[in-house]
Amino acid sequence: MIESLIAQGGTQQLNRLGNTISGVGQSIQRNRLLDLQEKKQAVDQQRQTVLNNREDVEAKRKFEADLVLELSNTSDERLLPTLQSRAQEAQQLGLDPADILEDMQAIQSGGLAQFRQELEEGVNFLRSNGTI
């Protein structure tokens, strides 16, 4: 009878140990799955950030190309108002209007001929790379 109780106690302990080991194994699997999910989310977020940045760069390039073309066809008298309007538009789009404001200052300081030359170079560049 004592041997039977010892055997039953040993069996119960072995069963508890087996259940504990099984629970640990399940916890390890859950942790691995959670780690994989977190890594996948991080990769997806990085991918989305890259796509968003690429879209931002493309939007900026389009804005700048459109601006160069517009200004190259704008009379000298309309340059400053056009630049002012486009600086505001750039700001509304979340772009930095600093270059546009610098161009305005250069024109106001007598740099119209230099500005026109730079515009011509910009148009030539856009033609040479196939943008227009």
Side-chain angles (χ1 to χ4, degrees), residues 45-61 95:
Q45 286 175 344
Q46 288 174 343
R47 185 176 292 131
Q48 189 61 46
T49 299
V50 167
L51 290 174
N52 290 345
N53 288 343
R54 186 177 303 147
E55 290 171 1
D56 290 346
V57 167
E58 289 302 316
K60 182 179 179 189
R61 283 185 187 157
L95 301 173

Side-chain angles (χ1 to χ4, degrees), residues 88-100:
Q88 291 171 351
E89 183 181 348
Q91 197 164 23
Q92 290 170 352
L93 293 172
L95 301 173
D96 184 4
D99 290 340
I100 298 171

Side-chain angles (χ1 to χ4, degrees), residues 1-11:
M1 181 153 168
I2 294 177
E3 291 176 5
S4 171
L5 289 173
I6 292 173
Q8 285 178 350
T11 302

Side-chain angles (χ1 to χ4, degrees), residues 52-116:
N52 290 345
N53 288 343
R54 186 177 303 147
E55 290 171 1
D56 290 346
V57 167
E58 289 302 316
K60 182 179 179 189
R61 283 185 187 157
K62 182 176 179 354
F63 180 85
E64 290 172 348
D66 290 346
L67 178 60
V68 167
L69 292 174
E70 179 182 2
L71 293 174
S72 68
N73 293 313
T74 301
S75 69
D76 291 349
E77 297 79 31
R78 296 288 313 143
L79 273 178
L80 289 175
T82 301
L83 284 166
Q84 180 63 42
S85 171
R86 295 291 268 178
Q88 291 171 351
E89 183 181 348
Q91 197 164 23
Q92 290 170 352
L93 293 172
L95 301 173
D96 184 4
D99 290 340
I100 298 171
L101 298 174
E102 284 179 24
D103 290 338
M104 290 176 65
Q105 288 175 348
I107 292 169
Q108 290 170 334
S109 299
L112 179 61
Q114 176 69 29
F115 179 75
R116 285 290 184 193

